Amino acid sequence: LVKSVIVASSDKAYGNQELLPYNEKSPMQGRYPYDVSKSCADLLCRAYYETYNLPVCITRCGNFYGGGDLNFNRIVPGTIRSILYNKCPIIRSDGKLLRDYFYIKDGVESYILLAEKMENKKIHGEAFNFSIENPLTVLEIVNNILEAMNSDLKPKILNEATNEIKQQYLSAKKAKTLLDWKPKYTFKDGLVETINWYKVFFDNIA
């Protein structure tokens, strides 16, 4: 018997909005394929809850970062790898895109907490944003990593990215209020652990 289902959505489900930060009442209006897939999944979850009383909750988080992510097209692992190999980090956008960054350990803890809280059937069918509520630009992310790694390298800004929403960030007020949730890591705390993980990883494959 399935007692509860947690569906991992994303802040991308909200699409482009004039009013920020996103809250859980913001409409689902993804525009690009990935974003639309998240919007659709959210709506289907709500439909199955309303129609069949499915015990489901939805999580909406920003950009996860942390050790173990080997997709080096992502800004955090890609930048760390570049610096470790003494190469200038690449920014595909103009560096001004504003995003939430959420440490993976906080992400895991938020999922576990939500699963435990789902014993309360009153939250079934609900979506919850999880965020440290400290959005950063891509350039700020890269500069934070450069500083944390004591690097004098300079980022190379390509300004080639297209179909990107300029600003996306979340309010976590609902999770804090209804779930008594709070993040354990600041961005810089999570970054220190992340950098250390990749140092060990690349030392082991050298």
Side-chain angles (χ1 to χ4, degrees):
L1 175 66
V2 177
K3 294 183 178 180
S4 59
V5 177
I6 295 176
V7 173
S9 186
S10 165
D11 59 355
K12 306 298 183 289
Y14 292 114
N16 200 1
Q17 308 262 352
E18 291 186 6
L19 296 177
L20 292 168
Y22 302 128
N23 64 56
E24 290 82 356
K25 292 184 179 179
S26 302
M28 300 288 96
Q29 53 185 41
R31 182 179 303 172
Y32 307 117
Y34 178 80
D35 305 9
V36 169
S37 75
K38 293 297 185 182
S39 298
C40 290
D42 268 24
L43 293 169
L44 284 169
C45 288
R46 184 70 189 182
Y48 272 78
Y49 166 73
E50 294 287 353
T51 307
Y52 304 110
N53 203 29
L54 183 73
V56 61
C57 280
I58 301 159
T59 64
R60 298 176 187 144
C61 304
N63 295 357
F64 284 115
Y65 72 97
D69 183 0
L70 301 183
N71 181 354
F72 294 103
N73 288 322
R74 299 186 200 273
I75 192 66
V76 173
T79 298
I80 293 171
R81 182 179 68 172
S82 294
I83 295 169
L84 289 173
Y85 284 98
N86 200 34
K87 295 180 179 180
C88 292
I90 301 296
I91 296 176
R92 294 190 300 274
S93 68
D94 61 2
K96 297 178 182 178
L97 300 178
L98 190 66
R99 297 287 187 269
D100 263 327
Y101 290 85
F102 195 42
Y103 187 45
I104 191 62
K105 288 185 179 180
D106 267 335
V108 171
E109 290 291 334
S110 67
Y111 277 58
I112 292 171
L113 176 65
L114 179 57
E116 293 170 347
K117 294 288 186 178
M118 284 185 71
E119 291 182 5
N120 177 7
K121 294 183 179 181
K122 290 182 179 180
I123 69 168
H124 290 183
E126 295 289 330
F128 291 91
N129 293 340
F130 293 99
S131 167
I132 64 170
E133 299 179 304
N134 180 34
L136 298 167
T137 67
V138 173
L139 185 56
E140 286 174 329
I141 292 292
V142 172
N143 285 336
N144 268 281
I145 297 172
L146 287 164
E147 180 181 353
M149 297 180 71
N150 297 314
S151 174
D152 294 326
L153 293 167
K154 303 296 182 185
K156 184 177 181 181
I157 300 175
L158 301 181
N159 197 17
E160 293 177 348
T162 58
N163 296 337
E164 293 279 1
I165 295 170
K166 293 190 180 298
Q167 296 188 347
Q168 292 185 294
Y169 54 95
L170 297 155
S171 166
K173 181 178 179 180
K174 182 178 178 180
K176 290 177 177 178
T177 301
L178 295 185
L179 305 179
D180 195 25
W181 174 83
K182 61 180 180 180
K184 295 180 179 178
Y185 289 83
T186 66
F187 173 73
K188 289 189 176 182
D189 290 339
L191 193 58
V192 169
E193 289 193 6
T194 301
I195 291 168
N196 289 337
W197 188 94
Y198 284 103
K199 285 179 177 178
V200 173
F201 173 78
F202 284 108
D203 281 346
N204 288 337
I205 65 173

